[in-house]
Amino acid sequence: MACNSSTCNSSGCYKGYEEEEQPKPNTKAAVNGGNSCQNLCVKCKVNEPVCCGIGGENSRFCKDCFKNNLYGKFKQAVTYNAMITPPDKVLVAFSGGPSSRVVLQFVHEMQYKAQKNYDANKDKSLPVFGVGVAFIDESSTHSFTSLHIEKAIEDIRLIVSNLAPPSKELFVVPIESIFSSDGIDGKERLKELLDAVSDVTGKEDLLIRLRILLLQKIASENGYTRIVLGTCTSRIACHVISATVKGQGYSLSADIQYVDSRWEIPVVLPLRDCPAQELNTLCSLDGSLKIVELLNGPCSGINGLVSSFVKVLQEENPSRECTIVRTAGKLTPFHFNRVPEIHDSNVPSATRRHQKRYTLKPNGSLSSDSFCPICSSPLKKSNFPSSLRSHGNQQNPDLIASACSSCQFQILPKDPSLMEEFLSVLPQQMITKAKHGDQGDFSLLREQIQEFLLSDGENEI
Amino acid sequence: MEADSKPKKSGARLCCVCNQNRAALKRPKTLEQICRECFYAVFEEEIHQVILENQLFKPGDRIAIGASGGKDSTVLAYVLSELNRRHNYGLDLFLLSVDEGITGYRDDSLETVKRNELQYGLPLKIVSYKDLYGWTMDEIVKMIGLKNNCTFCGVFRRQALDRGAALLKVDKVATGHNADDIAETVLLNILRGDIARLSRCTSIITGEDGPIPRCKPFKCTYEKEIVMYAYFKKLDYFSTECIYSPNAYRGFAREFIKDLERIRPRAILDIIKSGEDFRISTTTKMPEQGTCERCGYISSQKWCKACVLLEGLNRGLPKLGIGRTQGLNSDAKISNGMVIQEESVQGQLFCTNQVNPEDQFFGFYICKK
C-alpha cells in the first residue's frame, strides 16, 4: 500500500500513484507528530475517539475534544475580531439547520459563562451581553403545510426556552414583514416581487437579500447591536465560486470576512473557520443539539450547480473548501469589514482599547465605494453599467443605473416597460438606498475627523 | 460584454442581424439566431475589436502563432491571416509547432499543421522535445506514469515555444487560448490557492518582461463558437484528445463550466470579469524574477522548472519538482549541481496539468472528456 512516510528515500517508493492524497489536516490538534496511538483521541489521548475531523485519519477525536475544538475556533473568531463585547445585544439568526444550531449553542455557552463570572464578581463593572434569536418564516414562498411550519416553530420555541438562563427573546417573523405593511398585503407584494424575477438564480439571491434586510429591521427595531450568522466554511466556499461565476469578483472579499459593517447593524460570522461536515457531526453526536428540518428544497440554477461542484471537489479532497476560503481570504477586504469603533463613553475604556487593538486595520485609502441598492455589493468605479436601460424610465434612473451588473442581469426585468411595476414592489429600503447611494461612507470619514468637528449640526459633508 | 440583440422575429426565424437570410444557427455566446454569413462577420469583428482595444500588435511585428493542428490554433491562424489582410495589420505571420513525441497523436496532428502551412501560406517551424530535452513524452510517461505527466508536458512546452520563437526571431507569440480556457484557469487558481497566478491569468498579454511576450486574441471567444466557425468554414483541423490526459485536474473545472454554460452562457465571460476585478494587493508577495542557473531561461527560482524536472528524469527521480516542496531550490538543497530529493509535504495537489496558464499552449486537447 502507499508509503506514509514523508521522507522515504527508497527508489521504489513513489508514494504510490494509487494512494489517496493525504488530506491536509486543518485542526491544530491533529498535527502533533505521532500517529502511533490510533485508538485514542488525538487531543486528550485518554478517551476513545468517536469521530473524525476534516483531517481524516489524523484527527480522530473523542466527543468532548471534538466539541471543544469547534468551540475553540468559534471563541477565537469572536475574540480576535471583537465581535461581541459586554455592552452588545446580539441577535442570532436561526434557520433550524446544524450551523445555526451550533452557533446559537456556542453563543449561549459564552453568555452563560459570562453570566457566571458576573454573578461571582463583586465588581459588577462589565455587564453581560444580551442574546436574542430570530427565525424568519418563509412559508409564504414555499408550499409547506401550515401544520409543518407550526410544528417547526414550536420546536424552535422549545429550543430557545431551554437555552436559559440567561433567557433569550425569540422573534418569529414572516418574510413578508420586510414590507412596511403587514398581513395579506405583504404576502401579495412578495409574491408579485418574486414572480417579476424570471431568472431562477436571481430569485434565490433576491430572497437572500430580503432575509438580510429583515434581520436588519428586527435588530434595529429591538435595539440589537450585532447580528450573528452561522455561516460556515463550506457555505463561504460555495459563495466564493458562485460570486466568481456571477461576475461579482470585485465585491467578493466584502462578503466573506468575519465582520461586515456595511449595514446599520454589523453582521458577524463566528463559524467562518468551521467546515459544515464538522458542524453536522457535532449535531449528530450531541443529542441536545436538535435541528429543525425545514425542507427548503435544494437550490437550483447557478447556486445549486455550484453546491454540487464544491461537493464533488470535497469528495476528491476534503480540505478543498478550506483552500478555497483561504485563497479568497487573501483578497483585499473593504474598510467596512471590521467592527466599527465604539464612541459610547458608557462603554468601559478597557473594552474600547481591546476592540481597537483587535479590529482589522483598514486597507490603504478609504475609497468611497458606492453600493448596489439591491444586493449592497460595493461597486467598482469603472464598472458603472451603462445607463442605456434607464432611458425609458425617467422616474427612477438612479436605481437602475446604480445597480451592479449581476443584479441588472438576473434580478431587474429585461423589458423596460416592466421596470416601473417592479420598482413599485421592491422594499422601500432598497429604493431609499439608491437615492442616498454614497452616504454610508461619509460616516467613516466623519469618524476620523470627529474630534475636530465643532458644529454638530452638519447634515452633509 | 453583452451583445446588442435586436428583437427576434418569432416564426420566420430570420437572422437577427441582417433580417434577410434564414437563421442557420444559435450563437452560443448570446443565443441569438443568426445566419452563417453574419456569424462569420460578427465572430471576426469581435476578434478584430479585441486586437484593437488591447493594442495586441503593431505594424511590422513578426508573430508566431502557436499551432498544434487543433481547432483553436487552426482557427486562430485562419482568422489572423484573414484580418491581417483585411485590416492591413502589417504583420509577418508564422506557424510554430511543438512536437512532444506522442506517437499516434502528435505525429498525426503535425500532419495537419503541415497542411495548414500550405493552405494558409504561413511558414512553419517545428521544435521537438527530443531535440531540446532528450526526452519524448512517450518516454516520460513510460517512466512516470499517467498522474503528473501533464505537468512535465506543460512546463517543457512553454520553454519549447520560447526557443522556437527565438529561432524564428519573432516579436510575439499568439496562442489560441479561448474564453473557456481562461475561465477554467481562474477557477483552478482559486481551487489551488494560487493568488499570484490568479492576478495574472486574465491578462491578455503576458510575459512582457520576459523573453517573448505572448497574447491571447481569443480571450473573449467562446470555445463552442470556435468549433462552429471551424465546422461551417470546413477548416482542416485535428480533433482528438491527448491520449495521456484523462486524469488532469482541469477536468473538474471543465465539467463545471460546461454545465454552467448550459444554464447561463454569459457566465464564462463573467468568470473572466471576476478574475480581472479581484482585489489582489499589489504588495502580495509575487515571485521575483531571475534566471535559471543551469540554462539561463527566465525563472523565479535558482533553477527553472524545466531543469528541475529534467534533472529528476535523468536521475530516475520522477517526483522531483512535483508538488509543493520545501525549499527545493534553496541553497542547502542544491550543492555542486547535485539535487537532493525533495521532502514533500502532506496533502499536496499532485495532479495539476497547469503549472502556468501560458503553458496550455494547445488549449483544445488537454483533458477534453
Side-chain angles (χ1 to χ4, degrees):
Chain A
M1 225 345 261
C3 165
N4 269 331
S5 162
S6 59
T7 50
C8 173
N9 275 328
S10 89
S11 62
C13 173
Y14 293 153
K15 286 196 82 128
Y17 296 107
E18 310 82 48
E19 94 175 324
E20 297 291 346
E21 220 173 67
Q22 285 271 340
K24 175 163 109 59
N26 76 330
T27 50
K28 291 196 180 62
V31 183
N32 54 8
N35 280 338
S36 49
C37 329
Q38 289 290 347
N39 288 327
L40 291 178
C41 164
V42 298
K43 175 86 177 171
C44 64
K45 305 255 191 318
V46 171
N47 301 326
E48 245 190 64
V50 294
C51 56
C52 284
I54 285 273
E57 282 304 306
N58 289 341
S59 55
R60 295 169 58 81
F61 292 101
C62 65
K63 179 173 149 190
D64 288 332
C65 289
F66 187 73
K67 179 177 173 185
N68 290 338
N69 182 270
L70 276 176
Y71 184 80
K73 290 187 206 172
F74 163 83
K75 193 81 209 303
Q76 194 173 56
V78 170
T79 316
Y80 272 22
N81 296 281
M83 286 183 186
I84 302 175
T85 54
D88 282 323
K89 267 182 84 179
V90 303
L91 183 68
V92 178
F94 186 71
S95 67
S99 307
S100 54
R101 181 68 188 88
V102 172
V103 81
L104 178 58
Q105 184 68 28
F106 285 176
V107 168
H108 161 70
E109 287 182 14
M110 203 173 126
Q111 188 194 33
Y112 185 72
K113 284 190 188 126
Q115 183 69 53
K116 289 189 91 170
N117 287 343
Y118 181 80
D119 293 338
N121 210 335
K122 259 199 245 177
D123 164 29
K124 312 268 191 205
S125 59
L126 288 180
V128 180
F129 62 92
V131 176
V133 182
F135 170 72
I136 298 183
D137 172 3
E138 292 183 31
S139 48
S140 53
T141 61
H142 299 282
S143 48
F144 297 136
T145 59
S146 56
L147 204 64
H148 187 113
I149 194 71
E150 273 165 28
K151 168 94 182 33
I153 295 177
E154 267 315 300
D155 289 341
I156 293 174
R157 279 197 204 286
L158 197 60
I159 291 174
V160 176
S161 62
N162 282 341
L163 288 175
S167 67
K168 298 157 180 52
E169 200 179 352
L170 170 64
F171 301 91
V172 176
V173 187
I175 182 83
E176 52 266 22
S177 337
I178 187 66
F179 305 108
S180 310
S181 53
D182 298 278
I184 310 169
D185 226 12
K187 275 204 178 122
E188 281 297 313
R189 195 165 157 184
L190 180 65
K191 186 168 183 314
E192 226 186 297
L193 177 62
L194 292 179
D195 286 344
V197 179
S198 50
D199 188 288
V200 169
T201 312
K203 223 187 284 260
E204 285 173 9
D205 288 351
L206 183 58
L207 209 47
I208 293 173
R209 290 300 141 204
L210 295 179
R211 247 179 246 153
I212 295 187
L213 279 183
L214 185 54
L215 284 171
Q216 290 285 323
K217 186 166 178 235
I218 301 170
S220 76
E221 281 174 1
N222 293 280
Y224 284 89
T225 57
R226 294 281 184 272
I227 295 178
V228 169
L229 299 181
T231 312
C232 61
T233 308
S234 317
R235 190 175 287 248
I236 294 184
C238 288
H239 181 75
V240 169
I241 307 284
S242 56
T244 303
V245 158
K246 293 169 192 165
Q248 296 170 321
Y250 181 73
S251 59
L252 172 58
S253 55
D255 307 326
I256 58 167
Q257 306 300 326
Y258 289 101
V259 178
D260 186 352
S261 300
R262 182 181 3 171
W263 320 88
E264 192 194 330
I265 314 288
V267 174
V268 299
L269 275 41
L271 291 187
R272 186 180 178 271
D273 302 318
C274 305
Q277 185 192 327
E278 292 188 353
L279 297 172
N280 286 340
T281 306
L282 184 63
C283 287
S284 58
L285 281 181
D286 189 342
S288 68
L289 291 179
K290 278 207 167 38
I291 54 180
V292 181
E293 289 283 5
L294 271 170
L295 306 139
N296 280 339
C299 295
S300 43
I302 306 260
N303 299 328
L305 188 63
V306 170
S307 277
S308 356
F309 177 53
V310 174
K311 193 151 166 272
V312 165
L313 294 176
Q314 267 297 104
E315 281 160 17
E316 187 265 340
N317 182 340
S319 58
R320 187 61 64 204
E321 281 170 357
C322 296
T323 309
I324 295 174
V325 174
R326 200 173 48 243
T327 315
K330 293 181 193 163
L331 299 175
T332 315
F334 290 79
H335 60 83
F336 48 76
N337 285 119
R338 60 193 184 107
V339 176
E341 291 195 10
I342 309 170
H343 290 293
D344 186 354
S345 51
N346 289 332
V347 175
S349 56
T351 309
R352 278 190 280 166
R353 274 201 304 274
H354 170 98
Q355 190 238 44
K356 235 187 158 101
R357 202 182 319 144
Y358 282 113
T359 51
L360 198 65
K361 297 272 175 296
N363 79 302
S365 58
L366 293 169
S367 57
S368 62
D369 292 302
S370 52
F371 297 87
C372 168
I374 298 181
C375 66
S376 299
S377 53
L379 298 171
K380 194 174 179 188
K381 288 285 180 270
S382 56
N383 273 357
F384 277 135
S386 69
S387 47
L388 277 177
R389 308 186 75 211
S390 67
H391 277 176
N393 198 321
Q394 298 310 313
Q395 279 86 348
N396 283 296
D398 309 306
L399 188 117
I400 302 151
S402 57
C404 69
S405 66
S406 172
C407 288
Q408 281 216 341
F409 172 74
Q410 66 177 17
I411 294 182
L412 295 182
K414 305 244 180 309
D415 188 349
S417 64
L418 298 173
M419 191 65 75
E420 195 64 43
E421 211 181 306
F422 183 78
L423 295 178
S424 69
V425 285
L426 269 186
Q428 194 53 41
Q429 293 93 320
M430 287 184 183
I431 313 273
T432 330
K433 259 209 181 102
K435 292 197 165 49
H436 303 142
D438 294 329
Q439 296 298 314
D441 306 282
F442 288 115
S443 68
L444 198 67
L445 291 173
R446 198 194 169 90
E447 208 177 276
Q448 295 232 311
I449 55 171
Q450 185 70 42
E451 50 191 301
F452 300 109
L453 290 178
L454 291 174
S455 159
D456 242 356
E458 310 217 22
N459 293 326
E460 287 176 36
I461 296 183
Chain B
M1 238 183 104
E2 288 198 80
D4 275 18
S5 53
K6 306 207 175 84
K8 290 191 279 267
K9 290 208 166 28
S10 56
R13 292 193 54 198
L14 287 180
C15 166
C16 66
V17 175
C18 66
N19 278 315
Q20 288 178 354
N21 301 332
R22 203 171 61 87
L25 58 111
K26 217 165 49 169
R27 259 198 97 177
K29 189 188 248 181
T30 56
L31 302 178
E32 294 167 309
Q33 306 203 326
I34 194 169
C35 71
R36 287 226 287 235
E37 296 306 318
C38 289
F39 173 63
Y40 299 153
V42 70
F43 182 84
E44 290 158 7
E45 183 59 24
E46 277 176 12
I47 295 167
H48 173 59
Q49 285 309 317
V50 164
I51 292 173
L52 288 186
E53 278 162 18
N54 294 282
Q55 296 168 349
L56 295 187
F57 309 124
K58 56 185 201 301
D61 271 350
R62 290 165 64 92
I63 308 290
I65 301 173
S68 63
K71 59 163 178 24
D72 291 332
S73 48
T74 297
V75 172
L76 181 62
Y78 180 89
V79 171
L80 260 189
S81 59
E82 178 55 37
L83 292 179
N84 191 28
R85 240 192 317 270
R86 190 187 298 168
H87 297 284
N88 295 318
Y89 290 166
L91 305 174
D92 266 333
L93 298 175
F94 300 87
L95 292 176
L96 176 56
S97 214
V98 174
D99 178 8
E100 304 100 337
I102 302 178
T103 350
Y105 171 71
R106 182 52 75 211
D107 37 9
D108 289 342
S109 70
L110 280 180
E111 291 308 310
T112 312
V113 186
K114 288 178 190 155
R115 286 199 301 275
N116 290 158
E117 179 185 23
L118 301 171
Q119 290 156 352
Y120 307 149
L122 303 174
L124 165 67
K125 172 116 194 88
I126 302 180
V127 286
S128 79
Y129 281 9
K130 192 68 186 177
D131 292 339
L132 287 173
Y133 310 116
W135 287 80
T136 62
M137 271 317 289
D138 284 342
E139 290 163 359
I140 292 175
V141 171
K142 233 186 287 241
M143 187 177 189
I144 69 164
L146 284 172
K147 200 156 176 189
N148 296 309
N149 47 304
C150 293
T151 299
F152 281 82
C153 193
V155 172
F156 287 163
R157 199 182 328 103
R158 175 175 217 238
Q159 255 206 46
L161 261 185
D162 281 347
R163 301 273 176 92
L167 288 170
L168 280 173
K169 297 199 193 3
V170 295
D171 303 299
K172 249 194 201 97
V173 172
T175 55
H177 290 91
N178 54 50
D180 297 51
D181 295 329
I182 298 182
E184 282 163 26
T185 304
V186 169
L187 284 180
L188 273 183
N189 285 331
I190 295 175
L191 300 182
R192 287 166 32 161
D194 200 333
I195 198 84
R197 289 219 170 90
L198 192 57
S199 62
R200 302 195 300 260
C201 67
T202 46
S203 306
I204 195 170
I205 302 178
T206 51
E208 275 167 303
D209 40 4
I212 311 258
R214 297 147 178 251
C215 63
K216 306 177 170 81
F218 281 170
K219 177 183 171 186
C220 305
T221 315
Y222 280 37
E223 185 172 347
K224 276 213 174 80
E225 299 210 339
I226 293 175
V227 173
M228 240 175 213
Y229 189 86
Y231 172 74
F232 281 115
K233 284 258 182 184
K234 297 192 178 26
L235 297 180
D236 184 4
Y237 67 91
F238 184 73
S239 65
T240 306
E241 66 178 79
C242 176
I243 55 182
Y244 292 140
S245 73
N247 294 331
Y249 193 70
R250 184 171 278 257
F252 284 109
R254 184 171 288 253
E255 276 294 311
F256 174 61
I257 289 189
K258 291 263 166 290
D259 292 335
L260 205 57
E261 200 185 358
R262 247 172 263 138
I263 306 179
R264 189 188 280 191
R266 67 173 257 167
I268 295 178
L269 290 180
D270 282 341
I271 294 176
I272 299 178
K273 172 167 173 283
S274 289
E276 291 165 349
D277 291 345
F278 280 142
R279 287 159 60 96
I280 297 174
S281 161
T282 42
T283 58
T284 301
K285 189 155 178 282
M286 297 292 180
E288 230 182 72
Q289 209 168 274
T291 43
C292 171
E293 278 182 5
R294 198 166 171 263
C295 71
Y297 188 65
I298 186 178
S299 170
S300 63
Q301 311 293 328
K302 245 172 141 74
W303 279 22
C304 70
K305 192 74 169 184
C307 286
V308 170
L309 294 177
L310 260 181
E311 188 68 18
L313 285 175
N314 290 330
R315 290 183 179 278
L317 305 169
K319 283 293 197 164
L320 203 60
I322 301 293
R324 220 169 293 142
T325 60
Q326 300 279 11
L328 171 70
N329 270 287
S330 70
D331 292 335
K333 297 283 179 189
I334 300 181
S335 50
N336 303 323
M338 296 268 294
V339 183
I340 307 161
Q341 183 172 20
E342 89 240 22
E343 291 161 9
S344 100
V345 180
Q346 274 188 350
Q348 302 310 318
L349 182 63
F350 283 96
C351 198
T352 57
N353 79 319
Q354 281 290 300
V355 173
N356 193 306
E358 287 92 328
D359 293 344
Q360 200 206 11
F361 169 42
F362 304 124
F364 84 95
Y365 81 78
I366 291 185
C367 63
K368 268 252 192 310
K369 295 259 178 254

